[in-house]
């Protein structure tokens, strides 16, 4: 989609639906009641075609690129939506880039129709805790895959496994395979975290496809942009409600937003968001045109935006005074999401290192 | 026409021509000369560089053809500044007002006679201009300025004091804001805009010793200074609006130049530290954390230039964020860089003017960074503006 008007229309329609189905009260209720994805909203997301955005048209999707996905992620972040959209679409990306067409087509069709997916982060091969062996037209998986976000509720789990000969494979595990999962609650009740244990789990050989470093890098770039977009949206979301609070909360006979000490803090936060957005927009454009520095720029955006989100959410909770400490108020959800996102798909150190790797070998910027 | 301006029709060829032209045009060994030769050497290199630019028509290429320029589009000015930063050319600091603010003011508000009297000298001879805006009692609250201009026959008589006039000591002319109507209901409406010849009797310039060891900023005293009425720019009492409309005359190019220089400085600093202090993980992490901030600056400035290309008077909100982001980043970065090599960073260095905000003399740059966090609206004023005007918080 090259027409910027269409993308803005998409953004507006996403924002409109989220305002109705994922307002502050709904999110607060959801995380108070349990943890994991918000189910009725997931069905809406599928029905509205959000999951089909990047899926090729011949498989029931719209075939759109990151310039369309980034606004979606940003809007989801703005309301701290408890939905695994990013990991589902990262799985789509990994499948589309690496799996043979005949294998990937049914997976993509099911995701377009609303199946939920998650994946082992596109991290270095050494991180694979699973090993894969082949037996004729089947494979066997042994070992553990940790840090699987929302795997408890997922229909597809795309793990990483090594074959003992230095090669890395992606293996798709489906819900029907009855994988053994141990699931932890997270402080952020919008998501869960699982460890998958396999002891010779037998699957059709067609579930495996070779992991390709360049494709994994591209998925990591997608992850970085997605989390940066969620961070920009989330920081804007919590700052907007904090600015409203400063305008309406009266103490000492005036709105507390008239106090310069508070004003200056939110001015700094807003400036930081403007900077994060500039970085995100530029990095997205670079990824869309597959610029050779797209990975570096996306990691810049991830590191900068996620750190900004954490700092802004921390301070916004403080600016809400005692209200910010209550579970009925939404600030804590943003704070917990910000802290989670900062660790997802590589922390700040990892992304800073990736961002500036080219400088440390003496290249120009 | 020869040189880069012969290739304005094709921006890639223009870039190539600028790149080819620069190595011989840049004053040889200018960094060493400035640092060892002091102020005189600084002025020499600035004038040599200006002359080189002028001989290729580049100094004033952005001016209208009618006044000796060639209407160089903003896109080409960006290329020119990119290439100059890349080649580590000196900047044209001394001529900032000469090249941007004075001509922008005269093109929009000057009379034909004023344009004739001042533009050609600026273009071909590098006549230096300064600004007389701030006063000891009118800094952040500029509109409360008190320097008086009283009409007497065919002249105005100026009395008062200006401060922070960059290059005031070397300036031939001053763009002055003075109060012509102290009784105007709104203080902004009683201010007029003048051209003052700095050699006029009654003008006294006193350099202000700075924390950097230099004295670039000046106080300018006006003691019954007679200025011909024809030196009034625009209408009497319309000075505030005129000044506002030309404050952004450089159209983002100065901040662009600085953001480009910072980008190159960062790459140079990374290369220089690779086998030494960057092996320290704590320093490496801090250094790395500047990279996204610098990239964000580069992209913010690119967005500003894009906006200004379509709307020359736009970009106000964005430039406020950029000013704050840049000033804080510059101060943090230069402050950090002054510490990476331990005590040696504390050894005093000679001034290195003309190299922009990141000359590479880190502590010197760090001290200079206060000119960005204070001048042109302090960080605190920027935050007030952002909170009140853009976020709608109560005053």
């Amino acid at each position: 989609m090259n027409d910027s008007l269409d993308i803005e229309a998409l953004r507006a329609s996403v924002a409109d639906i989220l305002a109705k189905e994922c307002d502050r009260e709904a999110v607060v209720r959801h995380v108070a009641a349990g943890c994991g994805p918000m189910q009725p909203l997931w069905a809406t997301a599928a029905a509205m075609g959000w999951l089909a955005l990047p899926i090729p048209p011949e498989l029931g999707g719209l075939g759109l690129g990151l310039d369309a996905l980034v606004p979606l992620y940003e809007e989801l972040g703005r309301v701290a939506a408890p939905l695994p959209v990013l990991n589902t679409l990262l799985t789509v990306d990994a499948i589309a880039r690496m799996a043979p067409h005949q294998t990937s087509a049914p997976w993509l069709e099911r995701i377009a129709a609303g199946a939920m997916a998650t994946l082992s982060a596109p991290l270095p091969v050494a991180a694979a805790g699973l090993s894969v062996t082949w037996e004729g037209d089947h494979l066997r998986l042994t070992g553990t895959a940790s840090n699987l976000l929302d795997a408890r509720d997922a229909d597809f789990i795309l793990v990483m496994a090594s074959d003992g000969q230095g090669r890395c494979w992606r293996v798709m595990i489906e819900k029907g395979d009855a994988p053994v999962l141990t699931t932890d609650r997270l402080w952020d009740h919008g998501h869960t975290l699982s460890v998958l244990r396999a002891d010779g789990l037998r699957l059709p050989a067609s579930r495996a496809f070779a992991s390709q470093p360049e494709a994994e890098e591209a998925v990591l770039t997608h992850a970085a942009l997605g989390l940066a977009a969620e961070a920009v949206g989330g920081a804007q979301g919590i700052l907007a409600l904090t600015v409203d609070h400063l305008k309406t909360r009266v103490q000492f006979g005036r709105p507390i937003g008239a106090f310069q000490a508070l004003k200056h803090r939110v001015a700094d936060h807003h400036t930081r968001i403007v900077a994060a957005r500039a970085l995100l927009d530029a990095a997205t454009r670079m990824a869309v045109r597959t610029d050779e520095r797209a990975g570096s720029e996306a990691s810049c955006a991830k590191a900068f935006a996620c750190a900004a989100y954490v700092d802004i959410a921390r301070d916004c909770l403080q600016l809400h005074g005692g209200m910010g400490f209550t579970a009925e108020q939404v600030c804590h959800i943003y704070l917990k999401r910000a802290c989670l996102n900062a660790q997802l798909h590589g922390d700040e150190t990892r992304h800073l290192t990736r961002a500036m790797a080219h400088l440390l070998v003496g290249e120009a910027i | 026409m020869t040189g880069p301006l012969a290739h304005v029709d094709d921006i890639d060829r223009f870039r190539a021509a600028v790149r080819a032209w620069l190595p011989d045009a840049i004053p040889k060994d200018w960094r060493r000369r400035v640092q060892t030769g002091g102020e005189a050497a600084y002025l020499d290199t600035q004038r040599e560089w200006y002359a080189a630019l002028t001989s290729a028509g580049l100094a004033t290429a952005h001016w209208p053809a009618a006044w000796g320029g060639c209407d160089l589009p903003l896109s080409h000015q960006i290329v020119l500044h990119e290439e100059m930063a890349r080649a580590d050319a000196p900047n044209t600091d001394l001529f900032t007002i000469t090249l941007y603010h004075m001509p922008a003011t005269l093109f929009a508000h000057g009379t034909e006679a004023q344009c004739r009297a001042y533009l050609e000298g600026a273009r071909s001879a590098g006549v230096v201009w300064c600004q007389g805006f701030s006063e000891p009692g009118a800094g952040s609250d500029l509109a409360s300025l008190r320097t008086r201009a009283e009409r007497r026959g065919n002249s105005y008589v100026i009395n008062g004091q200006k401060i922070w006039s960059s290059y005031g000591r070397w300036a031939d002319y001053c763009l002055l804001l003075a109060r012509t109507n102290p009784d105007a209901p709104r203080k902004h409406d009683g201010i007029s805009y003048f051209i003052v010849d700095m050699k006029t009797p009654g003008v006294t310039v006193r350099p202000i010793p700075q924390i950097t060891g230099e004295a670039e900023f000046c106080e300018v005293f006006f003691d019954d200074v007679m200025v011909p009425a024809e030196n009034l720019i625009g209408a009497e009492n319309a000075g505030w609006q005129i000044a506002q409309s030309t404050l952004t005359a450089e159209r983002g190019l100065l901040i662009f130049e600085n953001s480009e220089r910072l980008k190159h400085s960062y790459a140079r600093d990374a290369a220089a530290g690779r086998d030494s202090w960057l092996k320290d993980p704590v320093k490496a992490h801090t250094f790395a954390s500047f990279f996204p901030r610098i990239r964000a600056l580069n992209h913010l400035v690119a967005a500003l230039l894009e906006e200004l290309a379509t709307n020359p008077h736009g970009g106000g909100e964005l430039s406020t964020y950029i000013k704050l982001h840049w000033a804080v980043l510059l101060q943090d970065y230069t402050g950090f860089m002054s510490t990476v090599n331990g005590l040696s960073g504390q050894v005093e260095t000679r001034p290195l003017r003309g190299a922009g905000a990141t000359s590479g003399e880190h502590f010197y740059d760090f001290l200079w960074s206060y000119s960005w966090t204070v001048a042109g609206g302090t960080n605190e004023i920027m935050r007030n503006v952002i909170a009140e005007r853009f976020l709608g918080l109560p005053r």
Side-chain angles (χ1 to χ4, degrees), chain A residues 257-325:
Chain A
F259 294 109
Q260 209 175 34
L262 307 191
K263 219 181 250 190
H264 282 191
R265 275 152 61 181
V266 294
D268 278 337
H269 299 331
H270 183 59
T271 303
R272 214 163 154 194
I273 293 170
V274 171
R277 166 176 284 290
L279 206 40
L280 172 64
D281 288 348
T284 303
R285 285 194 299 271
M286 286 167 77
V288 167
R289 63 168 194 264
T290 58
D291 188 294
E292 60 171 345
R293 291 279 159 74
S296 163
E297 213 73 348
S299 282
C300 263
K302 201 284 181 184
F304 185 88
C306 285
Y309 188 15
V310 170
D311 291 347
I312 291 168
R314 285 179 53 170
D315 196 43
C316 285
L317 196 138
Q318 173 71 20
L319 287 166
H320 274 79
M323 285 169 61
F325 199 66

Side-chain angles (χ1 to χ4, degrees), chain A residues 243 247 258 260 263-264 266-268 270-271 274 278-279 282 297 300 304 349 352 355-356 359-362 365, chain B residues 263 266 274 278 285 287-288 291-293 295-296 299-300 321 324 380 383-384 386-388 391-395:
Chain A
V243 167
K247 286 177 187 170
Q260 209 175 34
K263 219 181 250 190
H264 282 191
V266 294
D268 278 337
H270 183 59
T271 303
V274 171
L279 206 40
E297 213 73 348
C300 263
F304 185 88
T349 306
L352 288 176
M356 62 181 298
L359 289 175
L360 295 179
V361 295
I365 291 181
Chain B
K263 182 176 87 175
Y266 188 81
R274 198 166 63 216
L278 270 172
H285 181 88
F287 182 74
F291 189 47
R293 294 171 69 183
R295 295 306 291 152
H299 295 309
L300 284 167
Y321 301 127
L324 184 59
E380 290 69 30
R383 293 184 180 113
N384 283 351
I386 292 164
E388 291 165 9
L391 295 176
L393 287 171
R395 283 177 171 275

Side-chain angles (χ1 to χ4, degrees), chain B residues 159-231:
Chain B
N159 278 290
Q161 178 188 356
K162 292 289 170 180
I163 195 166
W164 308 126
S165 297
S166 297
Y167 313 104
R169 263 189 308 158
W170 304 306
D172 305 288
Y173 294 97
C174 177
L175 292 174
L176 181 81
L177 285 180
R179 188 162 300 283
T180 34
N181 180 7
D183 304 319
R186 244 170 51 99
K187 60 191 175 183
H188 305 76
D189 298 333
I191 296 170
S192 298
Y193 204 139
F194 297 95
I195 296 166
V196 179
D197 185 332
M198 295 293 278
K199 290 182 292 293
T200 318
V203 176
T204 312
V205 179
R206 189 185 81 86
I208 304 169
Q210 289 163 205
I211 59 174
T212 59
E214 301 155 287
E216 180 190 292
F217 293 113
C218 297
E219 284 180 291
V220 186
F221 299 90
F222 298 87
D223 190 7
D224 284 334
V225 174
M226 302 285 284
V227 172
E230 70 209 31
N231 284 18

Side-chain angles (χ1 to χ4, degrees), chain A:
Chain A
M1 186 187 292
N2 295 318
D3 190 325
S4 62
L5 270 181
D6 289 349
I7 288 182
E8 284 315 306
L10 169 70
R11 179 197 290 280
S13 102
V14 169
D16 190 45
I17 288 158
L18 290 173
K20 289 190 194 107
E21 298 202 16
C22 191
D23 59 49
R24 262 179 252 164
E25 289 71 25
V27 175
V28 167
R29 266 199 314 277
H30 176 78
V31 303
C35 53
M38 203 165 167
Q39 282 299 352
L41 184 60
W42 180 260
T44 306
M48 294 310 298
W50 297 351
L51 306 175
L53 290 176
I55 290 172
E58 61 273 21
L59 300 176
L62 292 166
L64 300 179
L66 278 166
D67 46 346
L69 299 185
V70 160
L72 169 67
Y73 299 141
E74 187 182 336
E75 294 311 314
L76 290 164
R78 191 185 308 278
V79 295
L83 289 185
V85 172
L86 177 60
N87 265 18
T88 297
L89 297 187
L90 288 175
T91 309
V92 166
D93 199 358
I95 294 168
R97 284 174 191 278
M98 294 181 274
H101 179 78
Q102 66 274 26
T103 316
S104 66
W107 295 335
L108 295 177
E109 278 169 340
R110 282 174 58 192
I111 292 173
M116 193 181 286
T118 191
L119 76 171
S120 296
L123 291 172
V125 174
L130 286 171
S131 61
V132 59
T133 52
W134 274 267
E135 293 174 355
D137 58 357
H138 280 74
L139 62 80
R140 281 191 185 276
L141 272 182
T142 302
T144 59
S146 52
N147 293 336
L148 295 166
L149 197 73
D150 300 313
R152 185 194 70 186
D153 298 275
D155 302 292
F156 292 108
I157 306 172
L158 184 62
V159 296
M160 187 93 91
S162 63
D163 64 2
Q165 289 157 30
R167 280 191 306 255
C168 217
W169 297 80
R170 284 287 190 175
V171 180
M172 184 65 92
I173 297 171
E174 299 190 14
K175 203 167 207 165
D177 304 328
V180 180
L181 292 173
T182 311
T183 300
D184 284 321
R185 291 164 67 103
L186 293 167
W187 284 107
D188 175 358
H189 290 185
H191 294 287
T192 60
L193 196 68
S194 300
V195 178
L196 179 147
R197 286 190 177 76
D199 184 13
L201 180 65
R202 191 165 182 270
L203 300 171
S206 60
R207 296 288 191 81
F209 52 92
S211 164
Q212 298 155 19
E214 274 187 27
E216 298 283 356
E217 277 294 315
V219 175
L220 180 58
T221 294
H222 181 165
L225 290 173
L227 289 163
E230 278 197 28
V232 167
Q236 284 178 316
I238 191 169
L239 185 64
L241 70 100
T242 304
V243 167
D244 283 345
H245 176 68
L246 296 182
K247 286 177 187 170
T248 50
R249 169 77 175 164
V250 174
Q251 289 287 275
F252 305 105
R254 52 180 170 155
I256 58 174
F259 294 109
Q260 209 175 34
L262 307 191
K263 219 181 250 190
H264 282 191
R265 275 152 61 181
V266 294
D268 278 337
H269 299 331
H270 183 59
T271 303
R272 214 163 154 194
I273 293 170
V274 171
R277 166 176 284 290
L279 206 40
L280 172 64
D281 288 348
T284 303
R285 285 194 299 271
M286 286 167 77
V288 167
R289 63 168 194 264
T290 58
D291 188 294
E292 60 171 345
R293 291 279 159 74
S296 163
E297 213 73 348
S299 282
C300 263
K302 201 284 181 184
F304 185 88
C306 285
Y309 188 15
V310 170
D311 291 347
I312 291 168
R314 285 179 53 170
D315 196 43
C316 285
L317 196 138
Q318 173 71 20
L319 287 166
H320 274 79
M323 285 169 61
F325 199 66
T326 67
E328 287 85 9
Q329 215 274 343
V330 75
C331 282
H332 72 108
I333 300 170
Y334 283 104
L335 176 64
K336 291 165 182 172
R337 179 68 45 79
C339 292
L340 174 65
N341 283 3
Q343 301 305 321
L344 282 178
H345 296 294
D347 63 9
E348 185 182 15
T349 306
R350 177 172 153 70
H351 281 281
L352 288 176
T353 304
R354 182 173 186 246
M356 62 181 298
H358 62 287
L359 289 175
L360 295 179
V361 295
E363 287 178 39
I365 291 181

